[in-house]
């Protein structure tokens, strides 16, 4: 009887041990699944951040190229405006020169006209 009780006790202990082993395996499997799920979730976030960073880098390079092109174009515009201003100054100089020439020509014309009239009045010898 005592030996039967011992055998029953050992059988119960063995079955409890097996049940605990099964629960232990299930717990480990569930913990591994949870770990994989968490890692996948984190990897998704990390990969999204990486893709966003790549897009930002691409956009930054494009912005840099556009800024460089804009600066080059602005420099060209400034040169054109400067050349235009210089041409306007030269036109102003030509206009002043032509006015000066016109004034000189009128003076010469008036002087010649005066001399012609004086010669016409004066008796010829």
């Amino acid at each position: 009887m005592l030996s039967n009780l011992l055998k029953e006790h050992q059988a119960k202990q063995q079955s409890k041990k097996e049940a605990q082993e099964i629960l232990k395996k299930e717990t480990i499997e569930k913990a591994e699944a949870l770990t994989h799920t968490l890692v996948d979730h984190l990897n998704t976030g990390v990969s999204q951040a990486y893709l966003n960073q790549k897009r930002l880098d691409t956009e930054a390079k494009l912005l840099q190229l556009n800024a460089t092109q804009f600066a080059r174009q602005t420099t060209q515009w400034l040169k054109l405006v400067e050349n235009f201003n210089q041409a306007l100054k030269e036109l102003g100089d030509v206009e002043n020169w032509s006015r000066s020439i016109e004034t000189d020509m009128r003076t010469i014309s008036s002087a010649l006209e005066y001399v012609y009239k004086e010669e016409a009045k004066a008796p010829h010898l």
Side-chain angles (χ1 to χ4, degrees):
M1 169 147 177
L2 195 54
S3 85
N4 282 341
L5 281 176
L6 181 62
K7 285 183 184 180
E8 280 180 31
H9 177 69
Q10 287 176 346
K12 285 181 185 179
Q13 288 289 358
Q14 186 63 30
S15 67
K16 283 183 182 180
K17 208 177 208 183
E18 288 172 3
Q20 282 182 343
E21 196 61 38
I22 291 171
L23 289 174
K24 181 180 174 183
K25 285 180 183 178
E26 287 176 0
T27 304
I28 289 172
E29 288 172 2
K30 289 180 181 179
E32 285 177 355
L34 176 64
T35 303
H36 286 293
T37 303
L38 289 173
V39 167
D40 288 344
H41 181 69
L42 288 174
N43 283 342
T44 301
V46 168
S47 67
Q48 185 65 39
Y50 176 74
L51 291 175
N52 289 343
Q53 184 63 41
K54 276 182 73 174
R55 266 190 248 132
L56 283 174
D57 289 344
T58 303
E59 290 293 324
K61 287 178 185 176
L62 183 61
L63 179 63
Q64 178 65 34
L65 287 173
N66 286 342
T68 302
Q69 183 180 5
F70 181 70
R72 197 174 315 124
Q73 191 174 28
T74 302
T75 302
Q76 289 174 347
W77 289 343
L78 288 172
K79 286 180 183 176
L80 283 173
V81 168
E82 186 178 323
N83 290 342
F84 181 70
N85 281 340
Q86 185 63 33
L88 284 177
K89 285 179 185 177
E90 288 174 6
L91 282 176
D93 291 344
V94 168
E95 186 178 351
N96 286 337
W97 175 77
S98 67
R99 282 188 195 143
S100 177
I101 294 291
E102 184 180 0
T103 304
D104 291 346
M105 294 305 277
R106 284 183 191 200
T107 303
I108 292 171
S109 175
S110 294
L112 288 175
E113 193 176 318
Y114 177 76
V115 168
Y116 177 74
K117 286 180 183 177
E118 287 298 319
E119 282 184 6
K121 286 182 188 178
H124 289 301
L125 298 169

